[in-house]
Amino acid sequence: MNKLFRNKYGYFDPEQHEYVITRPDTPRPWSNIISNGTYGMTITQAGSGYSWIEHAQFNRLTRWDQDLTRDNWGKYVYIRDEDTGKSWSPTPKPAGIGKLKDYECRHGLGYTTISGRCQDVQSSITYFVDSKSPVEVWEITLKNLSRKKKNLSLFSYLEWSLGMAPDWHREFDKIFITTEFERKTGIFWATKTRWALPDPSGRPWARPYEYRGFHACFPKAVSFDSDQRSIIGDLGENQAPKCVVTGKLSKLQGRCNDGVASLQTRVSLRGGQTKKVVFVLGGTKTAAEARRIVARYGKPGAVDKELAAVKGLWLGLLGQLQVKTPDQSVNLLVNQWLPYQAISCRMWGRSAYYQTGGAYGYRDQLQDSLATLPLNPKICRDHIKRAAAHQFRDGTTLHWWHPITDDGAKKVNSDDLLWLPFVTARYIQETGDKAFLNEVVPFYDKGKGKIREHCRASIEQVLGRPSPRGIPTIVEGDWNDGLSCIGFDGTAESVWLAEFLYGILNDWCDALAYVGDRQAEKDIKRYKREAKRLATAINKYAWDGDWYIRATHANGILGSKKSKIGKIFLNAQTWALMYGLPTPARKKKMLAALNKHLYRDYGPLLFYPAFSKPDPGIGHLSQYAPGLRENGGLYTHAGCWAIIAEAIAGTPDRAFKVFNSFNPIARGKKPDHYYAEPYVTPGNVDGPQSPNFGRGGWTWYTGSASWMYRALTDYIMGIRATTDGLVVDPAVPASWKNYTFTRKYRGATYTFTVRNKSKGAVKRKVSLTMNGKAIKGNRLPIANKGAKVKVDVVVESA
Ligand code: GLC
């Protein structure tokens, strides 16, 4: 077996597409976030985690508390040897630590398997979420390693949340829960009479919880319990609950218990024999649907069939873009982990360990959906429509909105609305789906409009709020949420926003030109003019000598040489470079300044130096400890833009160096320093002003997954979609001599074989042949649907 990037805690198994954890005491919980788009669960290497349906805060199925050290909340299983009375759990938590030998945890695509051995029983528990239905499955394979017959009891234990999470006032919340064991089907039901969400009728306190939780097992349960005290025991702990000590559950159910669930099932194993036990847990609107699901899993072979379907779905989706480069970490990230993180966690689950979410962030999932473009652009298309439906007629949008209640916060961030045309333009580049621009979607407040009208409303709204110098105002903040107060008096200018708008105007003009009708022509004229005007204003007012400032505000400038704190900000440089705003001379200075001030050992800092005390004139980033999150650490999401900026600026070796400085797999080589999972991106890494400089945190739930994916595929490997075809513009390091890249584009499959002879030169020349025919320039003609296209690429110094 190929064990890649082995460290003290684990390694990558590329054949199985898994990350394998070999000891449970990882520096932080190392989790998997599994979702089918509706139902989701988190599962850590310790076996802990929680589950939800559609919205992890509004519709949480099981209780959980965020505790990165103890990691002691979950849905657990205990195994009891009925002959000896000895017990343990098949996962480290709650009762496996110190008992479970040969521990291993395999996080895969849509599932996690934890295995070990105790009391001569080999156990392996696989957790996965059904590919379509709102249910998770725990399949436990047990093997008797001894010659003697073993009589085992298995007990599950979980606490129902059923609705709003956290239910911090448990004594109150549990009063609404009813549990009922249905003998015929073996289903242990849980319903709740209250859902702490507004009732559509307007009546206070009227909304019942609209789902029913269900829990069942095979072989069918022999006993059950819903009362915490009788399960765990007085002053008991979940390492050794009373039921496991005595081997009994007390069959309490009804309305007046604790609203938890425990099922007991029995299995006997002859010496050497292997058997499977299956637990299912889920939530449906009707009992009939749950019964159908449970019955399905009661059939022999059902679990294996569904698990194979789940794996197949992921491999099929991610298989749409595959690369083979000299750098194994890039292959692992691009072929599997980054798009998996972006889709399973960010788009579908919208929740993780460090952040329990559930809502759609206006800008967030739009950016995440970029990861789906080369894989299944329909996911992006559907999301653009979802986002357009949460926009007001005047172009402003909800800052985030909640599925289920469909309401949200109307906070006027200056950038939220612009991500709609930004992503729509990219969707058009990918698909050429012109008709989409004329698809009609309702506005959130009144009326409806075509997608292009939604995008137009976004652009017009931002164009309509310039400062006297023609730079857009930041209003209640821009991409950087931490600049929450800077725009309080309405006068602050955002230079980053100006650059962002400049790029969008040009991109949007491309999309409009592609449509090519009269309205489009009119808009193009105006937007080209506005773009020019913006570029002039940026270059006139925002240049600080060696870099661009980030913003102006009532008390001065953010991101100037003269500033004591926050002298230089990353985003104001990266976006200017991405959109080619500086002159060559300025560009040179900026690249040098980035290298000098912001590119540090563990990734590009969001700005430097960090705030050490709160500044109410700036916002909450100044309240964070110095070097953490948006306060001058590596904010991974923005760090990815530095990779893109360097690639576009024509500095390929630097682009790769920047990437590698926070490449999670490379950082995972020193896990006791880095802490975070090596297989996904962290939201942030502590900056130099933190005593933990280099420590990663806030993993999984970060917009960086999608951006790192696109940075590697579109800009480093340099194969990207435009409205008129795929462009080939590699910016790979000199050390990469060859790589292959396969992706779909408008229904055809393109396989690129790239030879790099450029030695990392700034000026490069690309020669292309397509199916053996030489192509002029670096843009490929669009092939017919279904075609298989072979492209040979040679990159040389120019
Ligand atoms: C968080 C937010 C995102 C924002 C970023 C920077 O990740 O979800 O919307 O852009 O922080 O502040």
Side-chain angles (χ1 to χ4, degrees), residues 354-371:
Y354 294 73
Q355 181 178 357
T356 306
Y360 287 98
Y362 204 88
R363 61 165 91 88
D364 297 87
Q365 275 70 34
L366 273 169
Q367 290 171 77
D368 299 329
S369 75
L370 294 172

mmCIF file of all heavy atoms in Angstrom, residues 354-371:
data_model
loop_
_atom_site.group_PDB
_atom_site.id
_atom_site.type_symbol
_atom_site.label_atom_id
_atom_site.label_comp_id
_atom_site.label_asym_id
_atom_site.label_seq_id
_atom_site.Cartn_x
_atom_site.Cartn_y
_atom_site.Cartn_z
ATOM 1 N N TYR A 354 -15.589 23.615 13.832
ATOM 2 C CA TYR A 354 -15.243 24.929 14.375
ATOM 3 C C TYR A 354 -16.390 25.922 14.225
ATOM 4 O O TYR A 354 -16.393 26.959 14.833
ATOM 5 C CB TYR A 354 -14.003 25.496 13.677
ATOM 6 C CG TYR A 354 -12.735 24.727 13.935
ATOM 7 C CD1 TYR A 354 -12.500 23.476 13.354
ATOM 8 C CD2 TYR A 354 -11.741 25.250 14.762
ATOM 9 C CE1 TYR A 354 -11.324 22.781 13.582
ATOM 10 C CE2 TYR A 354 -10.561 24.566 14.993
ATOM 11 C CZ TYR A 354 -10.356 23.326 14.399
ATOM 12 O OH TYR A 354 -9.183 22.641 14.622
ATOM 13 N N GLN A 355 -17.307 25.626 13.351
ATOM 14 C CA GLN A 355 -18.445 26.525 13.138
ATOM 15 C C GLN A 355 -19.668 25.701 12.782
ATOM 16 O O GLN A 355 -19.652 24.941 11.816
ATOM 17 C CB GLN A 355 -18.148 27.519 12.002
ATOM 18 C CG GLN A 355 -19.293 28.494 11.764
ATOM 19 C CD GLN A 355 -19.003 29.516 10.663
ATOM 20 O OE1 GLN A 355 -17.909 29.547 10.096
ATOM 21 N NE2 GLN A 355 -19.985 30.332 10.349
ATOM 22 N N THR A 356 -20.704 25.872 13.597
ATOM 23 C CA THR A 356 -21.979 25.249 13.271
ATOM 24 C C THR A 356 -22.782 26.279 12.503
ATOM 25 O O THR A 356 -23.147 27.306 13.050
ATOM 26 C CB THR A 356 -22.731 24.873 14.555
ATOM 27 O OG1 THR A 356 -21.882 24.081 15.344
ATOM 28 C CG2 THR A 356 -23.987 24.101 14.233
ATOM 29 N N GLY A 357 -23.002 26.004 11.252
ATOM 30 C CA GLY A 357 -23.676 26.995 10.411
ATOM 31 C C GLY A 357 -25.092 26.575 10.091
ATOM 32 O O GLY A 357 -25.868 26.225 10.959
ATOM 33 N N GLY A 358 -25.388 26.580 8.822
ATOM 34 C CA GLY A 358 -26.736 26.211 8.387
ATOM 35 C C GLY A 358 -27.255 27.196 7.373
ATOM 36 O O GLY A 358 -27.904 26.837 6.392
ATOM 37 N N ALA A 359 -26.960 28.490 7.597
ATOM 38 C CA ALA A 359 -27.426 29.523 6.681
ATOM 39 C C ALA A 359 -26.570 29.516 5.407
ATOM 40 O O ALA A 359 -25.529 28.865 5.348
ATOM 41 C CB ALA A 359 -27.333 30.871 7.362
ATOM 42 N N TYR A 360 -27.031 30.233 4.403
ATOM 43 C CA TYR A 360 -26.219 30.529 3.226
ATOM 44 C C TYR A 360 -25.666 31.932 3.403
ATOM 45 O O TYR A 360 -26.434 32.879 3.589
ATOM 46 C CB TYR A 360 -27.078 30.528 1.964
ATOM 47 C CG TYR A 360 -27.518 29.162 1.494
ATOM 48 C CD1 TYR A 360 -28.776 28.664 1.809
ATOM 49 C CD2 TYR A 360 -26.673 28.382 0.716
ATOM 50 C CE1 TYR A 360 -29.180 27.411 1.355
ATOM 51 C CE2 TYR A 360 -27.068 27.135 0.265
ATOM 52 C CZ TYR A 360 -28.321 26.655 0.589
ATOM 53 O OH TYR A 360 -28.706 25.421 0.146
ATOM 54 N N GLY A 361 -24.352 32.076 3.351
ATOM 55 C CA GLY A 361 -23.775 33.412 3.352
ATOM 56 C C GLY A 361 -23.861 33.921 1.920
ATOM 57 O O GLY A 361 -23.526 33.173 0.997
ATOM 58 N N TYR A 362 -24.301 35.161 1.736
ATOM 59 C CA TYR A 362 -24.545 35.593 0.356
ATOM 60 C C TYR A 362 -23.303 35.422 -0.510
ATOM 61 O O TYR A 362 -23.328 34.829 -1.578
ATOM 62 C CB TYR A 362 -25.050 37.039 0.276
ATOM 63 C CG TYR A 362 -25.825 37.225 -1.007
ATOM 64 C CD1 TYR A 362 -27.175 36.963 -1.055
ATOM 65 C CD2 TYR A 362 -25.182 37.559 -2.205
ATOM 66 C CE1 TYR A 362 -27.897 37.043 -2.238
ATOM 67 C CE2 TYR A 362 -25.879 37.642 -3.392
ATOM 68 C CZ TYR A 362 -27.233 37.383 -3.400
ATOM 69 O OH TYR A 362 -27.929 37.443 -4.578
ATOM 70 N N ARG A 363 -22.205 35.948 0.004
ATOM 71 C CA ARG A 363 -20.982 35.856 -0.799
ATOM 72 C C ARG A 363 -20.346 34.469 -0.700
ATOM 73 O O ARG A 363 -19.647 34.038 -1.588
ATOM 74 C CB ARG A 363 -19.987 36.928 -0.374
ATOM 75 C CG ARG A 363 -19.525 36.852 1.047
ATOM 76 C CD ARG A 363 -18.293 37.712 1.271
ATOM 77 N NE ARG A 363 -18.579 39.064 1.684
ATOM 78 C CZ ARG A 363 -18.740 39.450 2.949
ATOM 79 N NH1 ARG A 363 -18.682 38.568 3.921
ATOM 80 N NH2 ARG A 363 -18.957 40.713 3.242
ATOM 81 N N ASP A 364 -20.611 33.791 0.432
ATOM 82 C CA ASP A 364 -19.845 32.572 0.712
ATOM 83 C C ASP A 364 -20.133 31.440 -0.264
ATOM 84 O O ASP A 364 -19.243 30.949 -0.940
ATOM 85 C CB ASP A 364 -20.091 32.110 2.147
ATOM 86 C CG ASP A 364 -19.614 33.142 3.133
ATOM 87 O OD1 ASP A 364 -20.399 34.060 3.457
ATOM 88 O OD2 ASP A 364 -18.461 33.085 3.548
ATOM 89 N N GLN A 365 -21.391 30.988 -0.286
ATOM 90 C CA GLN A 365 -21.658 29.820 -1.128
ATOM 91 C C GLN A 365 -21.579 30.171 -2.617
ATOM 92 O O GLN A 365 -21.313 29.294 -3.430
ATOM 93 C CB GLN A 365 -22.994 29.177 -0.757
ATOM 94 C CG GLN A 365 -22.882 28.187 0.414
ATOM 95 C CD GLN A 365 -22.599 28.852 1.737
ATOM 96 O OE1 GLN A 365 -23.063 29.966 1.974
ATOM 97 N NE2 GLN A 365 -21.842 28.196 2.599
ATOM 98 N N LEU A 366 -21.767 31.452 -2.956
ATOM 99 C CA LEU A 366 -21.541 31.811 -4.368
ATOM 100 C C LEU A 366 -20.086 31.509 -4.737
ATOM 101 O O LEU A 366 -19.811 30.886 -5.769
ATOM 102 C CB LEU A 366 -21.868 33.283 -4.612
ATOM 103 C CG LEU A 366 -23.330 33.591 -4.946
ATOM 104 C CD1 LEU A 366 -23.602 35.093 -4.911
ATOM 105 C CD2 LEU A 366 -23.754 33.024 -6.301
ATOM 106 N N GLN A 367 -19.171 31.911 -3.871
ATOM 107 C CA GLN A 367 -17.757 31.623 -4.174
ATOM 108 C C GLN A 367 -17.469 30.126 -4.135
ATOM 109 O O GLN A 367 -16.755 29.596 -4.976
ATOM 110 C CB GLN A 367 -16.852 32.352 -3.184
ATOM 111 C CG GLN A 367 -16.855 33.852 -3.380
ATOM 112 C CD GLN A 367 -16.126 34.563 -2.262
ATOM 113 O OE1 GLN A 367 -14.909 34.584 -2.216
ATOM 114 N NE2 GLN A 367 -16.880 35.160 -1.348
ATOM 115 N N ASP A 368 -18.064 29.452 -3.145
ATOM 116 C CA ASP A 368 -17.830 27.999 -3.061
ATOM 117 C C ASP A 368 -18.296 27.302 -4.335
ATOM 118 O O ASP A 368 -17.700 26.318 -4.771
ATOM 119 C CB ASP A 368 -18.598 27.393 -1.875
ATOM 120 C CG ASP A 368 -18.150 27.974 -0.555
ATOM 121 O OD1 ASP A 368 -16.968 28.346 -0.450
ATOM 122 O OD2 ASP A 368 -18.984 28.069 0.358
ATOM 123 N N SER A 369 -19.381 27.812 -4.896
ATOM 124 C CA SER A 369 -19.962 27.129 -6.059
ATOM 125 C C SER A 369 -19.020 27.171 -7.261
ATOM 126 O O SER A 369 -19.181 26.407 -8.206
ATOM 127 C CB SER A 369 -21.328 27.724 -6.410
ATOM 128 O OG SER A 369 -21.161 28.982 -7.033
ATOM 129 N N LEU A 370 -18.002 28.034 -7.213
ATOM 130 C CA LEU A 370 -17.029 28.058 -8.311
ATOM 131 C C LEU A 370 -16.318 26.711 -8.436
ATOM 132 O O LEU A 370 -15.908 26.311 -9.526
ATOM 133 C CB LEU A 370 -15.980 29.156 -8.067
ATOM 134 C CG LEU A 370 -16.500 30.602 -8.103
ATOM 135 C CD1 LEU A 370 -15.396 31.555 -7.659
ATOM 136 C CD2 LEU A 370 -16.992 30.971 -9.494
ATOM 137 N N ALA A 371 -16.193 26.016 -7.301
ATOM 138 C CA ALA A 371 -15.513 24.712 -7.343
ATOM 139 C C ALA A 371 -16.304 23.708 -8.159
ATOM 140 O O ALA A 371 -15.756 22.727 -8.648
ATOM 141 C CB ALA A 371 -15.300 24.180 -5.929
#
